[in-house]
Amino acid sequence: MLADFSGLVSDMGMGGCHRKGAIVRLCAKGGAGAENTVHGSAILAASLPSRQGANMNRYRHTLPALLMFVGMTAHANQDCYEMDIVLKAQLQALEEVAFPYAGDGVKNNRLNAEIKSFLKANANNDTWECAFPLASRKLNIFTSEDKKFRAYAWDDQQGGTMRYFGGLWQYRDDAGNTHIMDAHPEAEEPERWGNSGFVKALYTARLGEKGTAYWLIEVHPASSKITISTAIWLHIVNNKLEYAYLIDFDGRYGHEFRLDYDYFSIVENPVFYSKVPDFSYNDNRKEMRVPIVDYNDSRYSDGRMTDKEEIWRFNGQYFVPNE
């Protein structure tokens, strides 16, 4: 018997999506107190070491002082190159205090907070053009086709075989103003468990009277064996970013698919050597493709990924299974 998707409704998200209320919007400067957060500039860029190792260790201790100094001498809105330099340095420093194996939790939490504060403080209409090529080696960035929604994610270096990710969502309101907020605001204890997954894809859907929606695909490595894949619909309504309840599960409306499965069911199956199954969306056909997991395979009791998939089509109001 193959997986039944009828139960995969909104209450199966990260930490549980138990309400349909609007996601709390943060102001462009990052919410309360963000006016005092630090910013990057060419001063910091000129101060950064060129190599890792011993130089990086030295930098790790000077990072707070450098950022504090820069914050007093620079404007909040930096150009793309300056931001890229700062983000790269922050992410490298974070990697060197990976907790619990190579560093300590205090430094780790501080660096994760600094990355969030920096991105929030510099969220503005200009940053939509920033690709951050240096930081993007460790900073996961996906931007919608209409450049009205962007997802940031990074490994918060607090996990072992289970990986946790910090995340931010940036979006534009109807007037074109840019806002940024914590990803998955319902996530419990984000400082400990993260508030995002590794972002694999972002699809833009133009759904007529339903407006434009965004399908965000994330992966959450739960162990060396178990993987969780999620596909979440979001949209901007009344100038706020909200979950979009566009999936009709037999009269119960949800915004998310969640698949738990044994990753070895992919690794050990030759059929997946050329292509790993994943969520996908075709906007011309208004069609979602959802992988099917078999939860009744005795060899893979945590779920066997199959090479089959379900097609869900938009009927003008909701996505429903194709019959």
Side-chain angles (χ1 to χ4, degrees):
M1 178 179 178
L2 299 179
D4 178 7
F5 289 97
S6 62
L8 302 179
V9 291
S10 61
D11 61 350
M12 296 189 69
M14 293 184 57
C17 304
H18 299 295
R19 59 186 177 83
K20 295 186 179 182
I23 293 175
V24 178
R25 185 185 69 181
L26 295 179
C27 69
K29 289 187 178 180
E35 294 79 358
N36 297 318
T37 54
V38 294
H39 318 297
S41 76
I43 298 172
L44 177 57
S47 304
L48 294 179
S50 58
R51 290 180 290 182
Q52 299 183 27
N55 283 339
M56 199 60 226
N57 285 326
R58 182 172 69 249
Y59 163 74
R60 186 177 65 214
H61 298 295
T62 60
L63 176 64
L66 280 169
L67 287 176
M68 185 177 297
F69 175 71
V70 169
M72 293 186 294
T73 58
H75 297 293
N77 299 333
Q78 305 303 309
D79 66 28
C80 294
Y81 175 72
E82 292 172 351
M83 287 187 66
D84 197 14
I85 290 290
V86 175
L87 286 167
K88 176 188 176 184
Q90 289 176 320
L91 289 160
Q92 286 178 339
L94 178 63
E95 196 170 55
E96 292 211 352
V97 293
F99 179 80
Y101 300 108
D104 68 68
V106 174
K107 291 180 180 178
N108 182 288
N109 286 334
R110 188 189 71 233
L111 285 166
N112 274 298
E114 286 176 355
I115 293 169
K116 279 191 176 183
S117 294
F118 182 75
L119 285 168
K120 286 181 177 182
N122 287 281
N124 59 77
N125 289 343
D126 295 331
T127 57
W128 293 96
E129 303 301 325
C130 297
F132 303 130
L134 299 176
S136 64
R137 297 169 188 174
K138 295 180 175 68
L139 180 66
N140 213 202
I141 308 169
F142 278 83
T143 306
S144 62
E145 292 178 4
D146 60 4
K147 293 188 177 180
K148 291 186 177 181
F149 174 66
R150 170 177 279 194
Y152 293 105
W154 62 93
D155 190 325
D156 70 7
Q157 303 298 336
Q158 294 196 34
T161 56
M162 176 181 279
R163 306 307 300 175
Y164 309 113
F165 295 84
L168 293 170
W169 290 341
Q170 181 172 304
Y171 67 98
R172 294 186 206 257
D173 62 24
D174 293 341
N177 299 313
T178 296
H179 306 270
I180 193 166
M181 57 178 285
D182 290 342
H184 299 281
E186 78 286 351
E188 298 178 359
E189 297 185 79
E191 295 81 9
R192 181 179 181 184
W193 305 113
N195 69 321
S196 179
F198 177 84
V199 180
K200 288 194 68 177
L202 174 61
Y203 296 95
T204 303
R206 299 164 182 84
L207 302 177
E209 294 180 359
K210 287 282 189 175
T212 300
Y214 310 102
W215 207 31
L216 185 68
I217 315 301
E218 295 179 336
V219 174
H220 310 261
S223 70
S224 59
K225 183 172 180 284
I226 301 172
T227 298
I228 301 170
S229 294
T230 59
I232 301 162
W233 281 106
L234 300 120
H235 59 179
I236 300 166
V237 178
N238 296 324
N239 296 323
K240 295 181 180 180
L241 186 66
E242 300 181 355
Y243 291 120
Y245 290 78
L246 294 170
I247 311 171
D248 185 350
F249 295 107
D250 293 328
R252 301 171 66 196
Y253 303 109
H255 70 277
E256 176 184 22
F257 288 100
R258 168 174 166 156
L259 303 177
D260 300 55
Y261 55 92
D262 187 329
Y263 186 69
F264 286 99
S265 69
I266 293 177
V267 174
E268 297 172 352
N269 191 341
V271 74
F272 297 134
Y273 287 176
S274 59
K275 182 181 179 181
V276 176
D278 208 346
F279 297 98
S280 63
Y281 176 74
N282 185 312
D283 196 42
N284 291 327
R285 296 183 178 183
K286 302 293 186 282
E287 177 181 284
M288 298 187 300
R289 290 182 177 267
V290 179
I292 292 178
V293 176
D294 182 356
Y295 292 105
N296 294 286
D297 189 305
S298 59
R299 182 178 177 184
Y300 301 104
S301 58
D302 293 305
R304 177 179 65 87
M305 180 64 73
T306 73
D307 59 354
K308 299 177 176 63
E309 59 186 11
E310 285 191 340
I311 297 175
W312 293 64
R313 287 202 170 96
F314 186 65
N315 65 7
Q317 293 295 319
Y318 300 99
F319 285 95
V320 296
N322 185 50
E323 298 179 354

